[in-house]
């Protein structure tokens, strides 16, 4: 019988050592950005019910939390503030003593090497839960830009290393870049939520950030999940306006978009592994339906393979522990 001619791909899968030798994509602790929800008050560590393992943390316990991250090798965080006071224009977002501004100062004083990324939006700070100023039931794009720029400058003044605007207003990168430059923060980079879909995966986050809209939804400013070319248009605009990083949010259902944004921009791309993606895995793991470690590492590796340079993820502490073990 004539011998068959075919490729023997399995030669490179024969052992764990061989598979490690030829592995193309690697996940590192330095890839991880951990989200923190900071609240007013004292001695508060309150669990977010829909996000097992995630807590609201008061300022007096923040240094302790950061210490745990540093010991794991996690040196980047993104701060979300949950203020005690909300109003129609989200004034606590840009207050000198706002919750994110105070948290930033606490972190930078205790751990100057920690990269602090400030989420720059108004939704947590407005009494209506939308990401901007409301006029006759509609978010006023241009008036909102003024407040976003003001917020970004106040965060930079507090010591934030990176400004991360998540509001999806047209022109938000241009407005924030202009505001930062005029205030003397020309070297403060912008990590734009360049591609942010109006996704069903955000529910648990809105519990954590207390930012559920009080009327309507965010579909007039966040993107339609069905659209691909629109994502590239958004990324192109942000690149022209001066964005330094490009976030794709959510991550798992938009890996195709992530790859295209990476190829198109040639800039650092950040995957946001959002709350719904996190909570589904946690719930399944608690029921014994999946191997949590295996599925999380596979999920985050897929994001790196799709083009992500960095990953914002609530799994960060667990992943850092697992990577240290291995």
């Amino acid at each position: 019988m004539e011998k068959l001619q075919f490729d023997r791909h399995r030669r490179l899968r024969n052992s764990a050592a061989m598979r490690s030798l030829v592995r193309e994509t690697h996940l590192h602790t330095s890839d991880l950005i951990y989200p923190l929800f900071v609240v007013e008050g004292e001695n508060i560590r309150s669990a977010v019910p829909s996000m097992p393992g995630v807590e609201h943390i008061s300022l007096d316990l923040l240094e302790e939390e950061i210490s745990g991250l540093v010991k794991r090798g996690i040196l980047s965080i993104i701060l979300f503030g949950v203020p005690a006071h909300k109003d129609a224009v989200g004034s606590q977002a840009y207050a000198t003593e706002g919750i994110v501004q105070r948290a930033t100062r606490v972190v930078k004083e205790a751990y100057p090497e920690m990269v602090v990324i400030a989420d720059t939006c108004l939704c947590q700070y407005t009494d209506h839960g939308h990401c901007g100023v409301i006029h006759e039931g509609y978010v006023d794009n241009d008036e909102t830009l003024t407040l976003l720029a003001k917020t970004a400058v106040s965060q930079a003044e507090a010591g934030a290393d990176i400004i991360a605007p998540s509001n999806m207003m047209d022109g938000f990168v241009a407005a924030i870049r202009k505001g930062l430059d005029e205030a003397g923060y020309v070297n403060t980079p912008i990590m734009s939520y360049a591609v942010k879909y109006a996704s069903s995966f955000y529910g648990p986050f809105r519990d954590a950030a207390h930012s559920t809209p009080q009327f309507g939804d965010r579909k007039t400013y966040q993107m339609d999940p069905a659209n691909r070319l629109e994502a590239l248009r958004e990324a192109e605009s942000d690149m022209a306006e001066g964005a330094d990083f490009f976030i794709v949010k959510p991550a798992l259902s938009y890996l195709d978009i992530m790859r295209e944004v990476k190829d198109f921009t040639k800039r650092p791309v950040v995957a946001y592994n959002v709350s719904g993606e996190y909570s589904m895995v946690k719930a399944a793991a608690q029921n014994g339906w999946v191997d949590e470690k295996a599925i999380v590492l596979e999920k985050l590796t897929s994001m790196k393979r799709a083009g992500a340079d960095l990953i914002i993820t609530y799994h960060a502490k667990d992943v850092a522990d697992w990577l240290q073990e291995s």
Side-chain angles (χ1 to χ4, degrees), residues 101-177:
Q101 289 79 358
R102 289 156 61 201
T104 299
R105 290 193 287 270
V106 168
V107 174
K108 296 303 287 187
E109 287 172 10
Y111 292 96
E113 73 276 20
M114 177 64 70
V115 176
V116 174
I117 304 165
D119 177 76
T120 306
C121 196
L122 301 181
C123 60
Q124 298 105 287
Y125 306 92
T126 56
D127 52 15
H128 47 73
H130 279 283
C131 301
V133 180
I134 301 294
H135 282 160
E136 297 180 355
Y138 190 78
V139 177
D140 186 304
N141 191 94
D142 295 6
E143 187 172 341
T144 299
L145 294 181
T146 301
L147 299 184
L148 292 171
K150 192 174 179 180
T151 301
V153 170
S154 73
Q155 292 169 337
E157 287 174 345
D161 297 289
I162 299 173
I163 300 302
S166 59
N167 52 88
M168 288 299 285
M169 296 295 110
D170 291 336
F172 69 96
V173 173
I176 288 171
R177 184 72 273 161

Side-chain angles (χ1 to χ4, degrees), residues 225-248:
N227 291 353
R228 179 181 68 84
L229 295 177
E230 183 182 8
L232 299 180
R233 293 197 298 271
E234 288 279 359
E236 183 177 22
S237 293
D238 287 6
M239 186 162 58
E241 293 171 19
D244 301 282
F245 302 80
F246 295 77
I247 296 175
V248 176

